[in-house]
Amino acid sequence: MDRLLSNSASLKSNEKCDTCTVRHRAVCGALSTKELNHLNQIARDKNFSAGDVILSDEEPADFVGIITSGAVKLTKTLADGRQQIVGLQFASDFLGRTYNDRNHFFAEAATDVEICSFLRHDYEVMLERFPELENRLLQHTLDELDSAREWMLLLGRKTAEEKVASFLLMLAKKSSQIGCHHNNALTFATFTLPITRTDMGDYLGLTIETVSRQITRLKARKIISITGNRDFLVPDLEKLAEVAGNDVSDIN
Amino acid sequence: MDRLLSNSASLKSNEKCDTCTVRHRAVCGALSTKELNHLNQIARDKNFSAGDVILSDEEPADFVGIITSGAVKLTKTLADGRQQIVGLQFASDFLGRTYNDRNHFFAEAATDVEICSFLRHDYEVMLERFPELENRLLQHTLDELDSAREWMLLLGRKTAEEKVASFLLMLAKKSSQIGCHHNNALTFATFTLPITRTDMGDYLGLTIETVSRQITRLKARKIISITGNRDFLVPDLEKLAEVAGNDVSDIN
DNA sequence: CGACACTTTGACTGTAGTCAATGTAAGTGG
DNA sequence: CCACTTACATTGACTACAGTCAAAGTGTCG
């Protein structure tokens, strides 16, 4: 602990957890104030600029962490350069692989990113010490698995139009979680794309041209409208959901 | 417990765990003999015939379990009937969703299936009581997430030929885990398809016709040969891996 | 043997990919 | 302030890979 306390500049103060914007949504929300204090002691902030590689599949990662701001893309690449984004993570998401020193993907900062990080080994000790923390991580991992499987359906069976609509719908729903809820019947949404068209293609298993064409079509059909370059407005989420091809039971 | 003990016919005896073929690979491998005894008390065997629905995404599932024999496919379906298999599970895999009474997919028996099952609530109590068990479940879930992401790369970016070759390679590797290891340099493999061509298509995001054509091509190129109808022989795994487009670092 | 389910093969089509050019916006330096 | 660069996005013409529709082939079981 002395080792960790020595660099006081990058250490988080106790109050930092109290004012943390993601605390309740993140895995640490499972902990009591006292327990949180222990975690606090070993946490340190890391900052990345858009484009930075946060984790590589080549070298073992020595840390894990919770994203406190920004967007992170998890990518896998074939030998000839074809790329697939296998996960997009935002504030409050857990980043990194416990119990395995090898990642099977890259994590890249899609925007500027702030991470509340822990040395992997130290964090694993905490997991052992606080079963609630491990339980919360398990639940988070199960949710991620559900999302991954939802995306498998999209990649394997949806058309280009449905793929693009599904992605925009996902962002629209995410933004409304953070922004204001209208009286249960949320009908419209605005949001800003956190990633480029190329990334959209890599996330949806499409080329950038196809993504662009589908966006143009959705615009022409008045299902979306674009203000500025990356700012989207969806006037009727129901209509977008219809195009996305989700059946009623879908939550994601 | 009385309630559970009453139906002695379907109860597992203590010895059953000792002779269990999947014990060491499954999540219960984390437990000591004494702890295992507790789990044993609440376990009961369930049997399903090929085609049976094991879990539905419509009704909440009240049980979870470990597959002791057979193959289970996890499926998701769009409103118009397009289907995607989002996971294939075999002996020793954990089936079901803890901490959530809603499944987001169907689980269907691809072959006849035997499951060592637990009431979901009872199992969650065990998870709380034995942190090693929960830890093992977390690790299993993390591995499943890794596999799901590997499959996202396949679905989003691989060609039909690469998809089929990847699937066959996966089965070949799985069979050699169960069968005999040759002195580290395993060059050939034989295995039996656990699923139909239709299922292969649903797993790979292809039509049955495309799957069939690609298999014919691989046969013509002598990369695989088929004995009987579902029995495959791969003379040179390296060559198959090359067609599958996996880069060297891939483990799965 | 016939019925049925599953698989293969063929001819044709269509969706998304490829290649190429143009458009747009933000930033740099003369 | 304007020309220039650079990165990102859109649009167009053409192509190809996988999908669709249809028919024939194979194997299994009663």
Side-chain angles (χ1 to χ4, degrees), chain B residues 1 48 65 72 109 112 121 199 205 214 218 244:
Chain B
M1 201 122 91
F48 298 91
V72 174
D112 288 352
H121 174 75
D199 284 340
Q214 295 302 333
L218 288 173

Side-chain angles (χ1 to χ4, degrees), chain A residues 159-160 205-207 209-210 213:
Chain A
T159 64
L206 298 171
T207 60
E209 294 94 331
T210 300
R213 278 187 254 270

Side-chain angles (χ1 to χ4, degrees), chain B residues 196-197 209 212-213 216 230:
Chain B
T196 65
R197 296 285 189 279
E209 294 94 332
S212 185
R213 277 187 255 270
T216 303
R230 292 242 183 125

Side-chain angles (χ1 to χ4, degrees), chain B:
Chain B
M1 201 122 91
D2 293 344
R3 170 175 53 90
L4 296 169
L5 280 166
S6 63
N7 186 351
S8 61
S10 65
L11 249 181
K12 295 163 72 79
S13 68
N14 268 7
E15 297 82 47
K16 188 126 190 203
C17 279
D18 294 336
T19 60
C20 176
T21 50
V22 304
R23 165 144 152 54
H24 300 289
R25 284 179 293 145
V27 285
C28 28
L31 299 176
S32 68
T33 313
K34 194 165 160 237
E35 292 166 338
L36 200 63
N37 194 37
H38 288 283
L39 204 62
N40 205 14
Q41 301 275 329
I42 62 165
R44 52 180 59 205
D45 284 339
K46 274 180 188 264
N47 289 284
F48 298 91
S49 303
D52 284 356
V53 172
I54 300 171
L55 300 169
S56 158
D57 73 351
E58 284 151 359
E59 47 199 280
D62 62 340
F63 72 94
V64 299
I66 292 149
I67 301 170
T68 49
S69 79
V72 174
K73 50 179 179 168
L74 313 181
T75 64
K76 290 177 82 83
T77 308
L78 291 171
D80 63 0
R82 281 172 287 173
Q83 190 171 80
Q84 177 67 43
I85 293 181
V86 297
L88 261 192
Q89 303 200 306
F90 302 95
S92 86
D93 283 329
F94 184 88
L95 184 66
R97 175 69 154 92
T98 51
Y99 305 118
N100 198 147
D101 59 0
R102 286 247 358 243
N103 259 84
H104 294 160
F105 49 80
F106 279 78
E108 281 179 63
T111 62
D112 288 352
V113 169
E114 216 175 342
I115 294 173
C116 177
S117 80
F118 311 90
L119 288 176
R120 194 166 66 80
H121 174 75
D122 292 349
Y123 196 78
E124 285 170 6
V125 170
M126 287 291 158
L127 286 175
E128 205 172 321
R129 195 158 157 193
F130 305 124
E132 302 83 12
L133 189 63
E134 180 154 286
N135 180 268
R136 189 78 171 243
L137 182 57
L138 172 57
Q139 297 203 33
H140 182 84
T141 307
L142 286 167
D143 288 341
E144 273 197 298
L145 185 55
D146 282 339
S147 306
R149 285 174 169 159
E150 186 68 36
W151 217 250
M152 285 171 69
L153 174 64
L154 175 144
L155 291 172
R157 292 304 188 196
K158 287 193 176 178
T159 63
E161 181 177 58
E162 289 167 337
K163 284 177 174 182
V164 171
S166 297
F167 176 73
L168 296 177
L169 186 63
M170 188 195 72
L171 288 182
K173 283 182 176 171
K174 236 184 247 296
S175 74
S176 62
Q177 273 170 25
I178 295 164
C180 56
H181 287 265
H182 304 260
N183 48 0
N184 288 341
L186 188 67
T187 55
F188 80 97
T190 60
F191 55 90
T192 302
L193 271 194
I195 56 174
T196 65
R197 296 285 189 279
T198 305
D199 284 340
M200 273 186 73
D202 287 348
Y203 198 25
L204 298 170
L206 298 171
T207 59
I208 181 175
E209 294 94 332
T210 300
V211 169
S212 185
R213 277 187 255 270
Q214 295 302 333
I215 289 177
T216 303
R217 282 188 54 186
L218 288 173
K219 227 172 5 182
R221 292 171 59 188
K222 313 274 187 207
I223 290 167
I224 59 170
S225 70
I226 303 181
T227 62
N229 194 16
R230 292 242 183 125
D231 297 310
F232 283 65
L233 171 98
V234 182
D236 185 350
L237 285 169
E238 287 287 323
K239 248 166 52 182
L240 185 61
E242 222 167 274
V243 179
N246 289 349
D247 55 0
V248 209
S249 69
D250 282 340
I251 297 131
N252 176 31

